[in-house]
Amino acid sequence: MCMYCKAASAVLDTLWQDEDFRVFFHRQGCDLGDLGRLTHDVFVPAYLRVKRGLEGGTLEMLETQVVDDLLMPLYARDTFRAMWESWDQATRDMFLREQSEMQLSELLVQVYGGRLVEAYRQAFQKYSDQNSDNEAG
């Protein structure tokens, strides 16, 4: 599972806790288990649209905060610091990207939950419409 799939899935899981969000999908005959297989094709693009809509200062500020919040407690541990020092730059970068994307997704739900709800609903509706057109044709 790619890092964006993990982040988009975590967002979906968090949004699913809201009854109004669930009702939208239930009315279309879907439950959370049905949506998991759509994560990559439907919800990752929706997640990235919301994220990219914050490009510029806001997104950079959030990403910087997430990396700081992630690394500071870990780097304070001797065992992590030794492991970090032994990694090459590519490994460090990958670790930061994966871990920070997950934390960023959590922060985005807290701050921009309404945008994510709308983006996920629209993405699913578009997917449903396309599939019903394909089945009808």
Side-chain angles (χ1 to χ4, degrees):
M1 185 180 274
C2 76
M3 73 177 164
Y4 293 123
C5 286
K6 290 177 186 177
S9 180
V11 168
L12 181 61
D13 289 344
T14 302
L15 296 178
W16 195 258
Q17 295 173 25
D18 179 71
E19 185 176 347
D20 290 336
F21 186 77
R22 284 191 312 269
V23 166
F24 171 82
F25 292 97
H26 286 157
R27 285 185 180 149
Q28 303 215 20
C30 291
D31 205 348
L32 184 59
D34 303 318
L35 301 176
R37 64 182 175 80
L38 305 176
T39 299
H40 182 77
D41 295 327
V42 175
F43 299 114
V44 167
Y47 169 75
L48 292 175
R49 270 193 306 279
V50 170
K51 182 180 168 187
R52 290 178 182 138
L54 302 173
E55 292 284 351
T58 302
L59 183 59
E60 290 173 10
M61 182 182 68
L62 291 173
E63 287 176 333
T64 299
Q65 185 62 48
V66 163
V67 170
D68 288 348
D69 290 348
L70 172 70
L71 271 186
M72 296 312 268
L74 291 174
Y75 205 71
R77 299 178 187 165
D78 292 337
T79 54
F80 179 81
R81 194 170 41 250
M83 186 173 54
W84 179 266
E85 302 287 332
S86 70
W87 289 345
D88 62 13
Q89 191 59 46
T91 304
R92 290 177 187 168
D93 290 345
M94 181 56 79
F95 173 82
L96 284 177
R97 275 196 305 275
E98 288 178 356
Q99 297 302 312
S100 64
E101 194 65 44
M102 288 301 295
Q103 287 195 358
L104 180 62
S105 72
E106 294 171 15
L107 185 57
L108 290 176
V109 170
Q110 291 173 15
V111 180
Y112 299 102
R115 289 185 192 182
L116 287 162
V117 164
E118 190 59 30
Y120 274 40
R121 285 180 180 169
Q122 286 176 0
F124 182 77
Q125 189 64 55
K126 181 179 177 184
Y127 167 82
S128 294
D129 292 346
Q130 288 173 342
N131 279 346
S132 66
D133 288 347
N134 290 341
E135 290 173 7

